[in-house]
Amino acid sequence: MEKTQVLLVGAAGETGGSIANGLIEDGSFEVHALVRPASVHKPAVIKLQERGIQIRKGDLKAPEEQLIELLAEIDVVISCVGPAEQQDQIPLAKAAKKCGVKRFIPCGFITVAPPGGVMWLRDEKEIVYNQIRQLWLPYTIVDVGWWYQLSYPRLPSGRVDYAMTSGNDEIIGNGNKPTALTDLRDIGRYMALIIKDPRTLNKKILAYNQVSTQNQIYSLMEEVSEEKIDRNYVSEETICSRVLAARQASETYPFDPIKFVPRYLAEYQYSWGIRGDNDPEYARYLGYYLTPELYPEFKPSDFRQYLESVVRGTAKGVYQDRIVSRKHQRHFPRTESSDSLYARIFPRTESSDSLMSR
């Protein structure tokens, strides 16, 4: 049977790597990776080639005629670009329309949130989605739950620090907001199903494994590790003050990660931790299709088993190759909130101009 030709943008990243794995393991796809010419000889790209992924050298900022050449014979485009590169997808979408691409999957892959001022990253993505719809280009938007790999707290013993990006020692609000969780490794498996499914064309999909609260995650981690974990609750007012401070600091960037990453992180906390946006019921209200209903036969990775692997020391961390990750990991081991990633980024100031009054 003829395989579906997929062009994957960002195949060397965390989400892109999961998708590459899922498509290869499924066996129904011929996977091509769009790689900048300067990156062709990097170890991560060489590893992609060793797995049978074909490399197409190019840049999203290339002229349209070059983008059209890159899309030759491609059926599906999947984009996993970085936060600051969202609008770079628009020229690729225009070229995809001219090439007759059958499905364009823009870079979603974040938690559920409504457009219009809750999360800067969501609004950047919505600009791209709107352009795609104006083109009348066949699309699927896929968002995912909060990753297993980012959801669990640090242990007092420090034995899970090896797999952590930050101390993660705060519970947002009262810790009882339900949030969808997804194992990063399952995203590619979901994508293989979604691409082949005609029901998902021109639809929004939430791909997730289960729903938990932060308090439930802490309790499960205590049970698995047999360690007592302090519960440091951070108030809604504090979270809203962080968001406002990060927004004010980022007003003059353009796309400077020193400024937009703090905003990106603070707004995530506000969205899923305070507002409770990353709830499948809210996703349904916003018009998403839910993977447990689309694919009841899918067997997701078990969250408890994942935490057990973390405690055993056999789990793989995320963003381990990032300089910012290594920098923050040097601050371990500490459990005080004042030394958390977020406290180091955001000032702990009270603000009369609170989001809660809006």
Side-chain angles (χ1 to χ4, degrees), residues 81-123:
V81 298
E85 300 170 320
Q86 296 301 306
Q87 294 187 42
D88 290 349
Q89 300 171 91
I90 293 173
L92 185 65
K94 291 178 178 178
K97 176 65 176 181
K98 291 187 176 180
C99 291
V101 166
K102 297 172 185 175
R103 191 187 300 242
F104 191 99
I105 301 176
C107 184
F109 308 113
I110 64 171
T111 56
V112 175
V118 174
M119 290 178 65
W120 166 81
L121 184 56
R122 165 62 62 191
D123 292 343

Side-chain angles (χ1 to χ4, degrees), residues 166-170 232 234 242 269 328 331-332 334-346 348:
S166 71
N168 205 22
D169 61 351
E170 296 180 340
N232 175 36
V234 181
R242 291 179 185 179
Q269 288 186 321
H328 289 141
H331 289 267
F332 295 164
R334 289 182 177 89
T335 59
E336 294 85 353
S337 172
S338 60
D339 193 53
S340 73
L341 168 61
Y342 300 110
R344 291 195 297 276
I345 292 176
F346 308 117
R348 299 275 183 140

Side-chain angles (χ1 to χ4, degrees), residues 39 42 68 94 102 145 174 258 269 281 296 326:
S39 301
K42 289 185 176 180
I68 289 173
K94 291 178 178 178
K102 297 172 185 175
N174 61 15
I258 298 300
Q269 288 186 321
E281 290 307 310
R326 293 197 296 273

